[in-house]
Amino acid sequence: MKPKYMTCSVSKGVPVEIQSFLWQCFEMAMKQGMTDYLHIFECEMTSQKIANQTIIHRCEIPFFEQEYTLTVDGPIEAKFYIIDEHEYSILMYANEY
C-alpha cells in the first residue's frame, strides 16, 4: 500500500475519527475501481439526534457519489480532497489545492 499524507491544517484541525473515515472511503472506492486522481469529500453537520455528520464522497471519472451519515464527537463543515499521486496519496482542505 502506498504512503498516505495530510496537510498540517488537516492534521491539527480535523478529528482523527473523521480523518480515518475519509481514508477508509477513499480506499474502498479505489478497490471498487474509482481510480480518479481526485476524490472530493463534503462534510456537513446535521441536526439529527442520532447522526450528526454527513459526508458526501464524489469522483468524476468514472462518476461516483456516495453519501454517509454518522455520529462523531466533533462534527465539522468543510470540503476536502484526497489526491492520488501514483506514489502516494494526500488529504487536504479543498482551499489548499
Side-chain angles (χ1 to χ4, degrees), residues 19-85:
Q19 293 173 25
S20 252
F21 188 80
L22 297 178
W23 283 118
Q24 287 174 3
C25 292
F26 170 74
E27 289 171 5
M28 283 190 326
M30 294 297 277
K31 286 179 184 175
Q32 295 173 1
M34 307 306 155
T35 57
D36 196 354
Y37 79 98
L38 178 65
H39 289 248
I40 303 161
F41 296 88
E42 293 182 42
C43 299
E44 300 173 356
M45 292 186 277
T46 64
S47 58
Q48 298 175 5
K49 291 182 181 180
I50 297 173
N52 60 3
Q53 182 76 67
T54 299
I55 298 174
I56 300 168
H57 177 194
R58 288 191 193 98
C59 292
E60 291 184 2
I61 303 172
F63 178 78
F64 170 80
E65 183 172 302
Q66 180 72 43
E67 183 173 319
Y68 304 94
T69 312
L70 52 146
T71 302
V72 296
D73 289 334
I76 59 172
E77 297 253 353
K79 185 174 183 178
F80 300 96
Y81 293 156
I82 292 182
I83 299 174
D84 182 32
E85 298 280 352

Short mmCIF file of all heavy atoms in Angstrom, two decimals, residues 19-85:
data_model
loop_
_atom_site.label_atom_id
_atom_site.label_comp_id
_atom_site.label_asym_id
_atom_site.label_seq_id
_atom_site.Cartn_x
_atom_site.Cartn_y
_atom_site.Cartn_z
N GLN A 19 -10.79 11.90 9.89
CA GLN A 19 -9.65 11.62 9.01
C GLN A 19 -9.66 10.15 8.61
O GLN A 19 -9.52 9.81 7.43
CB GLN A 19 -8.33 11.92 9.72
CG GLN A 19 -8.07 13.37 10.02
CD GLN A 19 -6.80 13.52 10.86
OE1 GLN A 19 -5.91 12.67 10.84
NE2 GLN A 19 -6.72 14.61 11.60
N SER A 20 -9.80 9.29 9.58
CA SER A 20 -9.81 7.83 9.35
C SER A 20 -10.94 7.43 8.41
O SER A 20 -10.74 6.62 7.51
CB SER A 20 -10.04 7.12 10.67
OG SER A 20 -8.92 6.49 11.10
N PHE A 21 -12.11 8.00 8.64
CA PHE A 21 -13.26 7.66 7.81
C PHE A 21 -13.04 8.08 6.36
O PHE A 21 -13.35 7.33 5.44
CB PHE A 21 -14.54 8.29 8.37
CG PHE A 21 -15.77 7.82 7.67
CD1 PHE A 21 -16.33 6.60 7.99
CD2 PHE A 21 -16.37 8.59 6.69
CE1 PHE A 21 -17.46 6.14 7.32
CE2 PHE A 21 -17.49 8.15 6.02
CZ PHE A 21 -18.05 6.92 6.34
N LEU A 22 -12.47 9.26 6.14
CA LEU A 22 -12.20 9.72 4.78
C LEU A 22 -11.23 8.77 4.07
O LEU A 22 -11.43 8.40 2.91
CB LEU A 22 -11.65 11.15 4.78
CG LEU A 22 -12.58 12.24 5.33
CD1 LEU A 22 -11.88 13.59 5.32
CD2 LEU A 22 -13.89 12.28 4.58
N TRP A 23 -10.18 8.36 4.79
CA TRP A 23 -9.22 7.42 4.20
C TRP A 23 -9.88 6.08 3.88
O TRP A 23 -9.61 5.47 2.86
CB TRP A 23 -8.02 7.22 5.11
CG TRP A 23 -7.04 8.34 5.08
CD1 TRP A 23 -6.68 9.16 6.11
CD2 TRP A 23 -6.27 8.79 3.96
NE1 TRP A 23 -5.75 10.08 5.69
CE2 TRP A 23 -5.48 9.87 4.37
CE3 TRP A 23 -6.17 8.37 2.63
CZ2 TRP A 23 -4.60 10.54 3.53
CZ3 TRP A 23 -5.30 9.04 1.78
CH2 TRP A 23 -4.53 10.11 2.22
N GLN A 24 -10.76 5.60 4.77
CA GLN A 24 -11.45 4.33 4.52
C GLN A 24 -12.33 4.42 3.27
O GLN A 24 -12.36 3.49 2.45
CB GLN A 24 -12.31 3.94 5.72
CG GLN A 24 -11.52 3.48 6.91
CD GLN A 24 -12.41 3.25 8.13
OE1 GLN A 24 -13.63 3.37 8.07
NE2 GLN A 24 -11.78 2.92 9.25
N CYS A 25 -13.05 5.54 3.13
CA CYS A 25 -13.90 5.74 1.95
C CYS A 25 -13.05 5.74 0.69
O CYS A 25 -13.42 5.13 -0.32
CB CYS A 25 -14.67 7.05 2.07
SG CYS A 25 -15.92 7.05 3.35
N PHE A 26 -11.93 6.43 0.74
CA PHE A 26 -11.02 6.51 -0.40
C PHE A 26 -10.52 5.11 -0.79
O PHE A 26 -10.56 4.73 -1.97
CB PHE A 26 -9.85 7.43 -0.05
CG PHE A 26 -8.72 7.41 -1.04
CD1 PHE A 26 -8.85 8.04 -2.27
CD2 PHE A 26 -7.52 6.79 -0.74
CE1 PHE A 26 -7.81 8.02 -3.19
CE2 PHE A 26 -6.48 6.78 -1.65
CZ PHE A 26 -6.62 7.39 -2.88
N GLU A 27 -10.08 4.34 0.19
CA GLU A 27 -9.55 3.00 -0.08
C GLU A 27 -10.62 2.07 -0.65
O GLU A 27 -10.37 1.32 -1.59
CB GLU A 27 -8.95 2.41 1.19
CG GLU A 27 -7.66 3.08 1.59
CD GLU A 27 -7.14 2.65 2.96
OE1 GLU A 27 -7.74 1.75 3.59
OE2 GLU A 27 -6.14 3.24 3.39
N MET A 28 -11.84 2.15 -0.10
CA MET A 28 -12.93 1.31 -0.62
C MET A 28 -13.25 1.68 -2.06
O MET A 28 -13.45 0.80 -2.90
CB MET A 28 -14.19 1.46 0.24
CG MET A 28 -14.13 0.72 1.54
SD MET A 28 -15.71 0.65 2.46
CE MET A 28 -16.50 2.20 2.13
N ALA A 29 -13.29 2.97 -2.37
CA ALA A 29 -13.59 3.42 -3.73
C ALA A 29 -12.51 2.96 -4.70
O ALA A 29 -12.81 2.52 -5.81
CB ALA A 29 -13.75 4.94 -3.77
N MET A 30 -11.26 3.06 -4.28
CA MET A 30 -10.16 2.63 -5.16
C MET A 30 -10.26 1.13 -5.45
O MET A 30 -10.04 0.69 -6.57
CB MET A 30 -8.81 2.98 -4.53
CG MET A 30 -8.55 4.47 -4.43
SD MET A 30 -8.46 5.32 -6.00
CE MET A 30 -6.77 4.99 -6.45
N LYS A 31 -10.60 0.35 -4.44
CA LYS A 31 -10.75 -1.10 -4.63
C LYS A 31 -11.90 -1.43 -5.58
O LYS A 31 -11.89 -2.45 -6.24
CB LYS A 31 -10.97 -1.80 -3.28
CG LYS A 31 -9.72 -1.89 -2.45
CD LYS A 31 -9.98 -2.56 -1.12
CE LYS A 31 -8.74 -2.54 -0.27
NZ LYS A 31 -8.97 -3.07 1.07
N GLN A 32 -12.90 -0.54 -5.62
CA GLN A 32 -14.07 -0.75 -6.49
C GLN A 32 -13.86 -0.16 -7.88
O GLN A 32 -14.77 -0.13 -8.69
CB GLN A 32 -15.32 -0.14 -5.85
CG GLN A 32 -15.73 -0.82 -4.58
CD GLN A 32 -16.87 -0.09 -3.87
OE1 GLN A 32 -17.37 0.91 -4.33
NE2 GLN A 32 -17.26 -0.63 -2.73
N GLY A 33 -12.65 0.33 -8.16
CA GLY A 33 -12.34 0.82 -9.49
C GLY A 33 -12.53 2.31 -9.71
O GLY A 33 -12.47 2.79 -10.83
N MET A 34 -12.79 3.07 -8.64
CA MET A 34 -12.93 4.52 -8.76
C MET A 34 -11.53 5.13 -8.67
O MET A 34 -11.10 5.62 -7.64
CB MET A 34 -13.81 5.09 -7.64
CG MET A 34 -15.15 4.44 -7.50
SD MET A 34 -16.07 4.43 -9.03
CE MET A 34 -17.13 3.04 -8.76
N THR A 35 -10.80 5.06 -9.78
CA THR A 35 -9.38 5.39 -9.76
C THR A 35 -9.07 6.82 -10.18
O THR A 35 -7.94 7.14 -10.54
CB THR A 35 -8.59 4.43 -10.66
OG1 THR A 35 -9.15 4.49 -11.97
CG2 THR A 35 -8.67 3.01 -10.12
N ASP A 36 -10.05 7.71 -10.14
CA ASP A 36 -9.81 9.12 -10.44
C ASP A 36 -8.74 9.65 -9.49
O ASP A 36 -8.67 9.24 -8.33
CB ASP A 36 -11.11 9.91 -10.27
CG ASP A 36 -11.07 11.28 -10.91
OD1 ASP A 36 -10.00 11.68 -11.40
OD2 ASP A 36 -12.11 11.96 -10.92
N TYR A 37 -7.90 10.54 -9.96
CA TYR A 37 -6.83 11.08 -9.12
C TYR A 37 -7.36 12.02 -8.05
O TYR A 37 -6.69 12.29 -7.06
CB TYR A 37 -5.78 11.81 -9.97
CG TYR A 37 -6.20 13.20 -10.39
CD1 TYR A 37 -5.76 14.31 -9.66
CD2 TYR A 37 -7.05 13.41 -11.45
CE1 TYR A 37 -6.16 15.58 -10.02
CE2 TYR A 37 -7.45 14.67 -11.82
CZ TYR A 37 -7.01 15.76 -11.10
OH TYR A 37 -7.41 17.02 -11.43
N LEU A 38 -8.61 12.52 -8.21
CA LEU A 38 -9.18 13.48 -7.27
C LEU A 38 -10.46 12.93 -6.66
O LEU A 38 -11.43 12.66 -7.37
CB LEU A 38 -9.46 14.80 -7.98
CG LEU A 38 -10.12 15.90 -7.15
CD1 LEU A 38 -9.16 16.35 -6.03
CD2 LEU A 38 -10.49 17.09 -8.03
N HIS A 39 -10.45 12.77 -5.35
CA HIS A 39 -11.64 12.36 -4.61
C HIS A 39 -12.08 13.55 -3.77
O HIS A 39 -11.27 14.15 -3.05
CB HIS A 39 -11.33 11.16 -3.71
CG HIS A 39 -11.12 9.90 -4.47
ND1 HIS A 39 -11.99 8.84 -4.41
CD2 HIS A 39 -10.14 9.52 -5.34
CE1 HIS A 39 -11.55 7.87 -5.19
NE2 HIS A 39 -10.43 8.27 -5.76
N ILE A 40 -13.35 13.89 -3.86
CA ILE A 40 -13.90 15.07 -3.18
C ILE A 40 -14.80 14.61 -2.04
O ILE A 40 -15.63 13.72 -2.22
CB ILE A 40 -14.72 15.91 -4.19
CG1 ILE A 40 -13.84 16.31 -5.37
CG2 ILE A 40 -15.34 17.13 -3.50
CD1 ILE A 40 -14.62 16.73 -6.60
N PHE A 41 -14.62 15.24 -0.88
CA PHE A 41 -15.42 14.93 0.29
C PHE A 41 -16.01 16.22 0.84
O PHE A 41 -15.27 17.15 1.17
CB PHE A 41 -14.57 14.28 1.39
CG PHE A 41 -14.01 12.95 1.00
CD1 PHE A 41 -12.79 12.85 0.35
CD2 PHE A 41 -14.70 11.78 1.27
CE1 PHE A 41 -12.26 11.63 -0.02
CE2 PHE A 41 -14.18 10.54 0.91
CZ PHE A 41 -12.96 10.46 0.26
N GLU A 42 -17.34 16.27 0.95
CA GLU A 42 -18.00 17.43 1.54
C GLU A 42 -18.60 16.99 2.86
O GLU A 42 -19.42 16.07 2.90
CB GLU A 42 -19.08 17.96 0.60
CG GLU A 42 -18.49 18.56 -0.65
CD GLU A 42 -19.55 19.14 -1.56
OE1 GLU A 42 -20.48 19.80 -1.07
OE2 GLU A 42 -19.43 18.92 -2.78
N CYS A 43 -18.19 17.65 3.93
CA CYS A 43 -18.65 17.30 5.27
C CYS A 43 -19.60 18.39 5.76
O CYS A 43 -19.27 19.58 5.71
CB CYS A 43 -17.47 17.20 6.23
SG CYS A 43 -16.28 15.93 5.78
N GLU A 44 -20.75 17.96 6.24
CA GLU A 44 -21.74 18.89 6.76
C GLU A 44 -22.27 18.36 8.09
O GLU A 44 -22.45 17.16 8.26
CB GLU A 44 -22.91 19.02 5.78
CG GLU A 44 -22.50 19.54 4.42
CD GLU A 44 -23.64 19.50 3.42
OE1 GLU A 44 -24.74 18.99 3.75
OE2 GLU A 44 -23.43 19.98 2.30
N MET A 45 -22.52 19.29 9.00
CA MET A 45 -23.14 18.92 10.27
C MET A 45 -24.65 18.79 10.05
O MET A 45 -25.22 19.55 9.27
CB MET A 45 -22.86 19.97 11.34
CG MET A 45 -21.41 20.04 11.74
SD MET A 45 -21.11 21.14 13.12
CE MET A 45 -21.03 22.71 12.27
N THR A 46 -25.26 17.83 10.73
CA THR A 46 -26.70 17.65 10.63
C THR A 46 -27.33 17.91 11.98
O THR A 46 -26.66 17.89 13.01
CB THR A 46 -27.06 16.23 10.16
OG1 THR A 46 -26.62 15.30 11.16
CG2 THR A 46 -26.42 15.89 8.83
N SER A 47 -28.62 18.12 11.97
CA SER A 47 -29.33 18.40 13.22
C SER A 47 -30.08 17.18 13.72
O SER A 47 -30.88 17.27 14.64
CB SER A 47 -30.30 19.56 13.02
OG SER A 47 -31.21 19.26 11.98
N GLN A 48 -29.82 16.03 13.12
CA GLN A 48 -30.47 14.80 13.56
C GLN A 48 -29.97 14.42 14.95
O GLN A 48 -28.83 14.69 15.31
CB GLN A 48 -30.19 13.66 12.59
CG GLN A 48 -30.71 13.90 11.20
CD GLN A 48 -30.29 12.79 10.25
OE1 GLN A 48 -29.68 11.80 10.67
NE2 GLN A 48 -30.63 12.94 8.99
N LYS A 49 -30.81 13.76 15.72
CA LYS A 49 -30.41 13.36 17.07
C LYS A 49 -29.43 12.19 17.05
O LYS A 49 -28.55 12.11 17.89
CB LYS A 49 -31.66 12.99 17.89
CG LYS A 49 -32.52 14.18 18.20
CD LYS A 49 -33.70 13.77 19.03
CE LYS A 49 -34.57 15.00 19.31
NZ LYS A 49 -35.72 14.67 20.12
N ILE A 50 -29.60 11.28 16.11
CA ILE A 50 -28.76 10.08 16.10
C ILE A 50 -27.44 10.34 15.39
O ILE A 50 -26.38 10.08 15.94
CB ILE A 50 -29.50 8.90 15.44
CG1 ILE A 50 -30.73 8.55 16.27
CG2 ILE A 50 -28.60 7.69 15.29
CD1 ILE A 50 -31.63 7.53 15.65
N ALA A 51 -27.49 10.82 14.17
CA ALA A 51 -26.27 11.07 13.39
C ALA A 51 -26.05 12.57 13.25
O ALA A 51 -26.99 13.31 12.98
CB ALA A 51 -26.38 10.42 12.02
N ASN A 52 -24.82 13.03 13.45
CA ASN A 52 -24.56 14.46 13.43
C ASN A 52 -23.59 14.89 12.34
O ASN A 52 -23.20 16.05 12.27
CB ASN A 52 -24.08 14.94 14.79
CG ASN A 52 -22.80 14.27 15.24
OD1 ASN A 52 -22.21 13.49 14.52
ND2 ASN A 52 -22.37 14.58 16.44
N GLN A 53 -23.17 13.96 11.48
CA GLN A 53 -22.21 14.29 10.42
C GLN A 53 -22.62 13.61 9.12
O GLN A 53 -22.88 12.40 9.11
CB GLN A 53 -20.81 13.81 10.81
CG GLN A 53 -19.72 14.12 9.81
CD GLN A 53 -19.30 15.58 9.87
OE1 GLN A 53 -18.74 16.03 10.85
NE2 GLN A 53 -19.59 16.31 8.81
N THR A 54 -22.70 14.39 8.05
CA THR A 54 -22.95 13.84 6.72
C THR A 54 -21.69 14.06 5.90
O THR A 54 -21.11 15.14 5.93
CB THR A 54 -24.14 14.54 6.04
OG1 THR A 54 -25.31 14.32 6.82
CG2 THR A 54 -24.37 14.00 4.64
N ILE A 55 -21.28 13.03 5.18
CA ILE A 55 -20.11 13.12 4.31
C ILE A 55 -20.52 12.63 2.93
O ILE A 55 -21.02 11.52 2.78
CB ILE A 55 -18.93 12.28 4.85
CG1 ILE A 55 -18.51 12.81 6.22
CG2 ILE A 55 -17.76 12.30 3.86
CD1 ILE A 55 -17.45 12.00 6.92
N ILE A 56 -20.32 13.48 1.93
CA ILE A 56 -20.60 13.13 0.55
C ILE A 56 -19.26 12.93 -0.16
O ILE A 56 -18.42 13.83 -0.15
CB ILE A 56 -21.43 14.21 -0.16
CG1 ILE A 56 -22.76 14.40 0.57
CG2 ILE A 56 -21.65 13.83 -1.63
CD1 ILE A 56 -23.53 15.62 0.13
N HIS A 57 -19.08 11.77 -0.74
CA HIS A 57 -17.83 11.40 -1.42
C HIS A 57 -18.11 11.33 -2.91
O HIS A 57 -19.03 10.64 -3.34
CB HIS A 57 -17.36 10.04 -0.89
CG HIS A 57 -16.15 9.51 -1.56
ND1 HIS A 57 -15.77 8.20 -1.42
CD2 HIS A 57 -15.22 10.06 -2.36
CE1 HIS A 57 -14.66 7.98 -2.10
NE2 HIS A 57 -14.32 9.11 -2.70
N ARG A 58 -17.31 12.07 -3.70
CA ARG A 58 -17.52 12.12 -5.16
C ARG A 58 -16.21 11.90 -5.92
O ARG A 58 -15.15 12.28 -5.45
CB ARG A 58 -18.02 13.50 -5.58
CG ARG A 58 -19.39 13.80 -5.22
CD ARG A 58 -19.83 15.09 -5.95
NE ARG A 58 -21.06 15.54 -5.36
CZ ARG A 58 -21.15 16.49 -4.45
NH1 ARG A 58 -20.09 17.11 -4.04
NH2 ARG A 58 -22.32 16.83 -3.96
N CYS A 59 -16.37 11.35 -7.12
CA CYS A 59 -15.31 11.28 -8.13
C CYS A 59 -15.97 11.63 -9.46
O CYS A 59 -17.16 11.41 -9.63
CB CYS A 59 -14.74 9.87 -8.25
SG CYS A 59 -13.81 9.34 -6.85
N GLU A 60 -15.18 12.12 -10.39
CA GLU A 60 -15.74 12.47 -11.69
C GLU A 60 -15.55 11.38 -12.74
O GLU A 60 -16.42 11.15 -13.56
CB GLU A 60 -15.14 13.78 -12.19
CG GLU A 60 -15.60 14.96 -11.37
CD GLU A 60 -15.08 16.28 -11.90
OE1 GLU A 60 -14.39 16.31 -12.93
OE2 GLU A 60 -15.38 17.30 -11.26
N ILE A 61 -14.38 10.71 -12.73
CA ILE A 61 -14.10 9.70 -13.75
C ILE A 61 -13.65 8.41 -13.08
O ILE A 61 -12.56 8.39 -12.51
CB ILE A 61 -13.01 10.19 -14.72
CG1 ILE A 61 -13.45 11.50 -15.36
CG2 ILE A 61 -12.71 9.14 -15.76
CD1 ILE A 61 -12.38 12.16 -16.17
N PRO A 62 -14.41 7.36 -13.09
CA PRO A 62 -15.81 7.32 -13.51
C PRO A 62 -16.67 8.03 -12.47
O PRO A 62 -16.28 8.13 -11.30
CB PRO A 62 -16.13 5.83 -13.57
CG PRO A 62 -15.22 5.21 -12.56
CD PRO A 62 -13.96 6.05 -12.59
N PHE A 63 -17.85 8.47 -12.88
CA PHE A 63 -18.71 9.20 -11.94
C PHE A 63 -19.07 8.30 -10.77
O PHE A 63 -19.43 7.13 -10.94
CB PHE A 63 -19.99 9.68 -12.62
CG PHE A 63 -20.90 10.39 -11.66
CD1 PHE A 63 -20.64 11.69 -11.29
CD2 PHE A 63 -21.97 9.73 -11.09
CE1 PHE A 63 -21.45 12.35 -10.37
CE2 PHE A 63 -22.79 10.37 -10.18
CZ PHE A 63 -22.53 11.69 -9.82
N PHE A 64 -18.95 8.86 -9.59
CA PHE A 64 -19.23 8.13 -8.36
C PHE A 64 -19.70 9.14 -7.32
O PHE A 64 -19.14 10.23 -7.21
CB PHE A 64 -17.95 7.43 -7.86
CG PHE A 64 -18.05 6.84 -6.49
CD1 PHE A 64 -18.66 5.62 -6.29
CD2 PHE A 64 -17.53 7.50 -5.39
CE1 PHE A 64 -18.74 5.06 -5.02
CE2 PHE A 64 -17.61 6.96 -4.12
CZ PHE A 64 -18.22 5.73 -3.94
N GLU A 65 -20.76 8.78 -6.60
CA GLU A 65 -21.20 9.63 -5.49
C GLU A 65 -21.83 8.74 -4.43
O GLU A 65 -22.67 7.91 -4.74
CB GLU A 65 -22.21 10.67 -5.97
CG GLU A 65 -22.63 11.62 -4.85
CD GLU A 65 -23.48 12.78 -5.35
OE1 GLU A 65 -22.99 13.53 -6.22
OE2 GLU A 65 -24.61 12.91 -4.88
N GLN A 66 -21.39 8.95 -3.21
CA GLN A 66 -21.89 8.16 -2.08
C GLN A 66 -22.05 9.10 -0.89
O GLN A 66 -21.17 9.92 -0.62
CB GLN A 66 -20.90 7.04 -1.74
CG GLN A 66 -21.32 6.16 -0.60
CD GLN A 66 -22.48 5.25 -0.96
OE1 GLN A 66 -22.50 4.68 -2.04
NE2 GLN A 66 -23.43 5.14 -0.07
N GLU A 67 -23.16 8.97 -0.20
CA GLU A 67 -23.40 9.79 1.00
C GLU A 67 -23.40 8.90 2.23
O GLU A 67 -23.98 7.82 2.24
CB GLU A 67 -24.75 10.50 0.89
CG GLU A 67 -25.03 11.44 2.05
CD GLU A 67 -26.27 12.27 1.85
OE1 GLU A 67 -26.49 12.76 0.73
OE2 GLU A 67 -27.01 12.44 2.84
N TYR A 68 -22.70 9.37 3.25
CA TYR A 68 -22.61 8.65 4.53
C TYR A 68 -23.13 9.56 5.63
O TYR A 68 -22.91 10.77 5.60
CB TYR A 68 -21.15 8.29 4.85
CG TYR A 68 -20.46 7.49 3.79
CD1 TYR A 68 -19.70 8.12 2.81
CD2 TYR A 68 -20.58 6.11 3.75
CE1 TYR A 68 -19.06 7.40 1.82
CE2 TYR A 68 -19.94 5.38 2.75
CZ TYR A 68 -19.18 6.03 1.80
OH TYR A 68 -18.56 5.31 0.83
N THR A 69 -23.79 8.96 6.60
CA THR A 69 -24.25 9.70 7.77
C THR A 69 -23.75 8.95 8.99
O THR A 69 -23.93 7.75 9.10
CB THR A 69 -25.80 9.77 7.80
OG1 THR A 69 -26.26 10.18 6.52
CG2 THR A 69 -26.27 10.79 8.81
N LEU A 70 -23.08 9.67 9.88
CA LEU A 70 -22.50 9.02 11.05
C LEU A 70 -22.53 9.94 12.27
O LEU A 70 -22.83 11.12 12.16
CB LEU A 70 -21.08 8.55 10.76
CG LEU A 70 -20.10 9.55 10.19
CD1 LEU A 70 -18.71 9.25 10.71
CD2 LEU A 70 -20.09 9.42 8.67
N THR A 71 -22.21 9.37 13.38
CA THR A 71 -22.14 10.11 14.64
C THR A 71 -20.67 10.23 15.03
O THR A 71 -19.97 9.22 15.11
CB THR A 71 -22.93 9.39 15.75
OG1 THR A 71 -24.27 9.24 15.31
CG2 THR A 71 -22.89 10.17 17.04
N VAL A 72 -20.23 11.46 15.27
CA VAL A 72 -18.85 11.72 15.68
C VAL A 72 -18.86 12.68 16.86
O VAL A 72 -19.84 13.39 17.08
CB VAL A 72 -18.01 12.30 14.52
CG1 VAL A 72 -17.89 11.29 13.39
CG2 VAL A 72 -18.59 13.59 14.00
N ASP A 73 -17.76 12.73 17.60
CA ASP A 73 -17.67 13.63 18.74
C ASP A 73 -17.58 15.10 18.31
O ASP A 73 -18.13 15.97 18.96
CB ASP A 73 -16.46 13.28 19.61
CG ASP A 73 -16.67 11.97 20.36
OD1 ASP A 73 -17.83 11.60 20.61
OD2 ASP A 73 -15.67 11.32 20.67
N GLY A 74 -16.88 15.36 17.22
CA GLY A 74 -16.69 16.74 16.77
C GLY A 74 -17.07 16.92 15.32
O GLY A 74 -16.20 16.92 14.45
N PRO A 75 -18.37 17.05 14.99
CA PRO A 75 -18.75 17.21 13.59
C PRO A 75 -18.18 18.51 13.01
O PRO A 75 -17.95 19.47 13.74
CB PRO A 75 -20.27 17.24 13.62
CG PRO A 75 -20.62 17.67 15.00
CD PRO A 75 -19.52 17.17 15.88
N ILE A 76 -17.93 18.51 11.70
CA ILE A 76 -17.31 19.67 11.05
C ILE A 76 -18.05 20.01 9.77
O ILE A 76 -18.79 19.20 9.23
CB ILE A 76 -15.82 19.42 10.73
CG1 ILE A 76 -15.67 18.20 9.81
CG2 ILE A 76 -15.00 19.24 12.00
CD1 ILE A 76 -14.28 17.99 9.29
N GLU A 77 -17.82 21.23 9.30
CA GLU A 77 -18.30 21.69 7.99
C GLU A 77 -17.05 22.04 7.20
O GLU A 77 -16.35 22.99 7.54
CB GLU A 77 -19.18 22.94 8.14
CG GLU A 77 -20.44 22.71 8.92
CD GLU A 77 -21.69 22.69 8.06
OE1 GLU A 77 -21.60 22.99 6.85
OE2 GLU A 77 -22.74 22.37 8.61
N ALA A 78 -16.75 21.26 6.17
CA ALA A 78 -15.55 21.50 5.37
C ALA A 78 -15.60 20.67 4.10
O ALA A 78 -16.35 19.71 4.01
CB ALA A 78 -14.29 21.16 6.17
N LYS A 79 -14.77 21.07 3.15
CA LYS A 79 -14.62 20.32 1.91
C LYS A 79 -13.16 19.88 1.81
O LYS A 79 -12.25 20.69 2.02
CB LYS A 79 -14.98 21.20 0.71
CG LYS A 79 -14.98 20.48 -0.61
CD LYS A 79 -15.50 21.42 -1.70
CE LYS A 79 -15.59 20.74 -3.04
NZ LYS A 79 -16.13 21.66 -4.07
N PHE A 80 -12.97 18.60 1.49
CA PHE A 80 -11.63 18.01 1.42
C PHE A 80 -11.40 17.36 0.06
O PHE A 80 -12.33 16.94 -0.61
CB PHE A 80 -11.46 16.92 2.48
CG PHE A 80 -11.63 17.40 3.88
CD1 PHE A 80 -12.85 17.28 4.53
CD2 PHE A 80 -10.58 17.99 4.55
CE1 PHE A 80 -13.02 17.73 5.81
CE2 PHE A 80 -10.73 18.45 5.84
CZ PHE A 80 -11.96 18.33 6.47
N TYR A 81 -10.13 17.25 -0.29
CA TYR A 81 -9.70 16.48 -1.44
C TYR A 81 -8.71 15.43 -0.96
O TYR A 81 -7.88 15.70 -0.10
CB TYR A 81 -8.96 17.34 -2.47
CG TYR A 81 -9.78 18.39 -3.16
CD1 TYR A 81 -9.16 19.51 -3.71
CD2 TYR A 81 -11.16 18.29 -3.33
CE1 TYR A 81 -9.88 20.49 -4.37
CE2 TYR A 81 -11.89 19.26 -3.98
CZ TYR A 81 -11.25 20.36 -4.50
OH TYR A 81 -11.96 21.33 -5.15
N ILE A 82 -8.81 14.24 -1.54
CA ILE A 82 -7.72 13.28 -1.45
C ILE A 82 -7.21 13.15 -2.88
O ILE A 82 -7.96 12.81 -3.80
CB ILE A 82 -8.14 11.91 -0.90
CG1 ILE A 82 -8.53 12.04 0.58
CG2 ILE A 82 -6.98 10.91 -1.06
CD1 ILE A 82 -8.91 10.72 1.24
N ILE A 83 -5.94 13.46 -3.04
CA ILE A 83 -5.31 13.42 -4.36
C ILE A 83 -4.41 12.20 -4.43
O ILE A 83 -3.56 12.01 -3.55
CB ILE A 83 -4.53 14.72 -4.63
CG1 ILE A 83 -5.50 15.90 -4.59
CG2 ILE A 83 -3.80 14.64 -5.95
CD1 ILE A 83 -4.86 17.24 -4.68
N ASP A 84 -4.64 11.40 -5.45
CA ASP A 84 -3.86 10.18 -5.65
C ASP A 84 -2.72 10.48 -6.61
O ASP A 84 -2.93 10.66 -7.81
CB ASP A 84 -4.76 9.08 -6.20
CG ASP A 84 -4.03 7.77 -6.37
OD1 ASP A 84 -3.10 7.50 -5.58
OD2 ASP A 84 -4.38 7.02 -7.30
N GLU A 85 -1.52 10.58 -6.08
CA GLU A 85 -0.31 10.79 -6.88
C GLU A 85 0.39 9.45 -6.95
O GLU A 85 1.13 9.12 -6.11
CB GLU A 85 0.61 11.81 -6.17
CG GLU A 85 0.03 13.17 -6.00
CD GLU A 85 0.11 14.00 -7.28
OE1 GLU A 85 0.76 13.54 -8.24
OE2 GLU A 85 -0.49 15.06 -7.31
#
